[in-house]
Amino acid sequence: MVEKLDQIEELKKLDPKDMYSAVYNLPEQIERAAEVAYNAEIKNISDKIDKVLVLGMGGSAIGGDVLQSVLFKEAKFPVFVNRDYDLPNWVDESTLVFAVSYSGHTVETINSAKLSYSRGASVVAVTSGGVLKEFAQENNLTLVEIPSGMAPRAAIGYVTIPSFVILERLGLISSKKKDIEETVAYLRNKREEFKIEVPTEQNVAKKVAKMMFKHIPVIYAVEEKWKVAAYRWKCQINENSKYPAFYHFFPELNHNEIMAWEAIDNVIKPLTLIFLYTSLEGEMKIRVEFMQEKISARGVPVFLWQAEGNNPLTQFFSLTYLGDFATVYLAYLADKDPFSIGYINELKLRIGQALS
């Protein structure tokens, strides 16, 4: 019997807007994002920046989380992410604010961008158009205009890379050109292993999708700085696959969530666990092996995925690219369109917001 995930023509019928290709073409998207950001005209940015704030919601906000994680060991300034209509009180003329809205119509981001500007902050708009683009143009702000027409979550390259490039161009971080090149090369190589033409038996992305099918995935990041990778998996499972999913990170989860795994079988059996890690050494190795041992003994499927790459940017995308493919495949197994976001759009209409 032919595996469902190997029936390519049938799967295409489940994906009329071709989310699969958006995932497959991520390397080219990252290249284009860098090109656009390097060519953007920098306007009205203070030379006294001492903190960075990224504004965004949903798929547009995760670029801020990635910025924060990738610069964990490098930045000499704090990086914060704000998912709200309002702003922290400390935003001032020494704050560099990235207002990121793929559609340009995200109400929360537009509102907080205008507040940032009113407080004298240096605002950079990253968007494909809409109200945010108009706001940037009207106020002579730095605008990184990215291509439109994608689901925001599929535009992770477009909403992530420009912030790194602008910070580099301002002299606030080291050059990221080689890191971007390495990331693109890694993704191009890896997608040949994950692509739909590779049979399930040899395709780890399809195997992970099958492991998650009819289970509730729990994603653990083995380092706190990579909780953004676990969060990306969770959100992709939610939006692409229409599945519930949960995430946490080490070592914090060993002080609370570890006890949840002592629950009765009826609670534990529907779960499946995925560990994301860069390396397992010392105490962290003991923590992970202990949990793997205890949870596997309960009959819960466990999968470990290790980051690759010589820099944090590549490591992030190496942790998440598998999840991007696997969640599209999980949608196919569940007979779901990986592009559609019915409840999100229904809620936006009820609130009176523009659809993405």
Side-chain angles (χ1 to χ4, degrees):
M1 181 178 177
V2 178
E3 290 271 3
K4 181 173 181 177
L5 291 178
D6 298 335
Q7 299 176 35
I8 297 175
E9 293 306 313
E10 291 300 312
L11 299 181
K12 288 180 179 178
K13 297 175 184 177
L14 294 169
D15 194 4
K17 293 192 176 179
D18 204 7
M19 177 63 79
Y20 171 82
S21 288
V23 171
Y24 185 85
N25 291 325
L26 179 58
E28 290 73 27
Q29 181 189 142
I30 290 175
E31 285 184 319
R32 178 61 178 150
E35 178 186 355
V36 169
Y38 279 116
N39 289 327
E41 183 180 357
I42 292 181
K43 304 177 183 178
N44 293 324
I45 295 182
S46 170
D47 59 1
K48 295 181 173 60
I49 298 298
D50 60 14
K51 52 193 170 298
V52 171
L53 179 66
V54 182
L55 313 175
M57 300 297 300
S60 296
I62 197 166
D65 297 322
V66 178
L67 187 73
Q68 187 179 61
S69 295
V70 169
L71 296 182
F72 182 76
K73 290 287 191 179
E74 178 183 352
K76 302 296 185 182
F77 48 84
V79 178
F80 301 92
V81 182
N82 193 68
R83 294 172 165 90
D84 202 352
Y85 295 90
D86 207 351
L87 285 177
N89 190 52
W90 48 256
V91 175
D92 57 19
E93 63 277 356
S94 299
T95 309
L96 176 60
V97 174
F98 289 99
V100 186
S101 169
Y102 182 70
S103 68
H105 293 294
T106 310
V107 175
E108 300 93 332
T109 304
I110 293 165
N111 194 69
S112 52
K114 290 179 177 178
L115 284 174
S116 299
Y117 180 70
S118 71
R119 293 192 194 175
S122 300
V123 179
V124 175
V126 180
T127 184
S128 66
V131 176
L132 183 57
K133 177 184 174 181
E134 293 172 3
F135 172 72
Q137 291 175 327
E138 289 168 2
N139 292 285
N140 200 33
L141 305 178
T142 300
L143 170 64
V144 181
E145 187 172 358
I146 52 181
S148 62
M150 303 178 69
R153 64 188 182 278
I156 187 168
Y158 287 133
V159 300
T160 298
I161 299 301
S163 300
F164 288 98
V165 172
I166 297 299
L167 287 172
E168 173 195 324
R169 292 178 63 193
L170 293 173
L172 294 172
I173 62 173
S174 63
S175 173
K176 292 292 172 279
K177 288 183 178 179
K178 288 185 179 179
D179 295 355
I180 292 170
E181 289 172 0
E182 181 186 335
T183 300
V184 169
Y186 169 86
L187 296 176
R188 281 193 172 129
N189 178 64
K190 217 66 185 173
R191 71 183 176 185
E192 295 306 302
E193 300 176 23
F194 300 157
K195 66 183 182 181
I196 201 166
E197 291 83 3
V198 177
T200 300
E201 189 177 342
Q202 288 90 41
N203 191 322
V204 66
K206 291 181 179 181
K207 288 180 179 179
V208 171
K210 288 183 67 177
M211 185 184 79
M212 293 189 290
F213 185 50
K214 296 184 178 179
H215 287 79
I216 298 174
V218 178
I219 319 298
Y220 284 165
V222 176
E223 297 170 81
E224 181 177 3
K225 73 174 181 178
W226 292 128
K227 64 185 179 183
V228 59
Y231 181 63
R232 170 69 174 179
W233 273 74
K234 174 220 175 315
C235 293
Q236 290 290 80
I237 293 166
N238 296 155
E239 292 190 72
N240 288 347
S241 313
K242 285 72 182 175
Y243 260 52
F246 302 90
Y247 83 106
H248 210 327
F249 56 91
F250 284 82
E252 174 64 19
L253 68 86
N254 286 154
H255 296 268
N256 37 65
E257 188 162 317
I258 187 174
M259 294 310 304
W261 294 100
E262 288 192 17
I264 61 173
D265 282 351
N266 286 348
V267 173
I268 295 298
K269 292 295 186 184
L271 304 178
T272 188
L273 179 60
I274 296 171
F275 290 98
L276 306 177
Y277 70 100
T278 52
S279 64
L280 294 178
E281 300 173 356
E283 189 176 285
M284 200 61 74
K285 184 173 187 289
I286 296 171
R287 291 176 183 273
V288 172
E289 288 180 348
F290 177 85
M291 292 200 68
Q292 185 180 7
E293 171 193 326
K294 296 296 183 182
I295 295 167
S296 295
R298 299 293 305 276
V300 174
V302 177
F303 176 77
L304 284 82
W305 185 247
Q306 184 174 15
E308 297 181 63
N310 298 308
N311 67 83
L313 186 66
T314 304
Q315 289 171 354
F316 166 75
F317 280 104
S318 75
L319 288 173
T320 58
Y321 202 38
L322 170 65
D324 292 348
F325 275 94
T327 54
V328 170
Y329 294 147
L330 178 57
Y332 296 161
L333 288 173
D335 292 322
K336 296 290 186 179
D337 175 358
F339 187 93
S340 70
I341 47 169
Y343 280 1
I344 291 176
N345 283 336
E346 284 186 44
L347 178 59
K348 285 183 175 181
L349 289 173
R350 187 170 297 188
I351 294 172
Q353 293 184 3
L355 301 183
S356 300

